[in-house]
Amino acid sequence: MKNTTLLLILSLIVNSLFSQSKGKPIIDMHQHARFKVWLDGDGNPYPRMCFPVPCKSEPAKATEDEDILRIALEEMEKYNIVKAVVSDENLDDVYRWKASAPEKFIAGCGFFSIQAADSIIFRQELEKGKIGVMGEIGVQYDGMAPNNKELEPYFSLAEEFDVPVLIHCEGIGGGDHRFNLLAGNPLLIQEVLVRHPTMRIYIENAAWPFLEEVTSLMYRYPNVYVDFSTIVWLAPEETVYKYLKGLMDNGLGKRIMYGSDQMEWPESIGIGIERILKADFLSEEQKRDIFYNNAARFLRLSDEEIKRHREE
Ligand SMILES: [Zn+2]
């Protein structure tokens, strides 16, 4: 093929991708700042996680450490992701990730055990305006329930500084034996909401598979939203759609937000988006709500910023 013909085809492809995503911004409510490829015992990158085991996991796209952020940024460009929450335990890593696209990323202070949290440091960073989300709070990995009193200082800080909380409270998670399924019942969050009535909180994976419980929590507390994240790319398609349809049928379509939960597999950003795009039980408007409108409302983005995103 002649070079000019090839160039023409390439530019047509790029233009069509651009026109597909133009005016359709996406907010990713859940990324992790990871800079190291996760290696197995033989020194090979861990394949992309899948559930339930046994299942066919795909090889990781990032094979070198520097691939992770690079591919994540490429995915964000490709899908017109205009904002993304990024968190992790190491705040330096979070800030490093944010520095790659400061206008897009919102930094979160994550912790997966109570020992890794530091309310003094978090307060300092909140005062400086460097943190926009409390979490991901992932203490369920360490066996702790969301209503444990030791978490109080962190919910209080979120309420005081009016930043949203992202919490891992659900029936799915990796890690060792300390991960506590019983601590994943979202009804346990009620006690926290009673103590912090103005707190905005969003629950990872819409608290899968606790559909009834999360529905009841969301009917009672309008400041509870959910992200539809990891489950989208690691569980079987039927499981994903059944749960998403359950949330939609319960009338919660204005409170679901997209999240990739990108960890060491940045390709998950696009895989999750494509799965939601393919869901034929969702209208175009419902997809726009999940991808952008609900998060824009939850994050209280200004009218000017929303207008700017819609023009991108
Ligand atoms: Zn996460």
Side-chain angles (χ1 to χ4, degrees), residues 30-32 87 112 136 166 168 204 230 261-263:
H30 192 154
Q31 288 192 17
H32 289 279
S87 76
F112 291 85
E136 173 183 346
L166 163 59
H168 187 118
E204 173 172 334
T230 349
D261 200 7
Q262 119 62 29
M263 293 174 270

Side-chain angles (χ1 to χ4, degrees), residues 11 15-16 52 57 95 117 152 165 189 207 216-217 229 237 264 292:
S11 81
N15 279 341
S16 97
S57 52
Y95 293 152
E152 272 304 293
V165 172
I189 298 176
S216 114
L217 193 76
S229 54
E237 200 160 270
E264 287 84 2
Y292 183 82

Side-chain angles (χ1 to χ4, degrees), residues 136-137 146 151 155 165-169 189 201-204:
E136 173 183 346
I137 299 181
L151 288 170
F155 294 129
V165 172
L166 163 59
I167 192 157
H168 187 118
C169 179
I189 298 176
I201 185 165
Y202 65 112
I203 307 173
E204 173 172 334

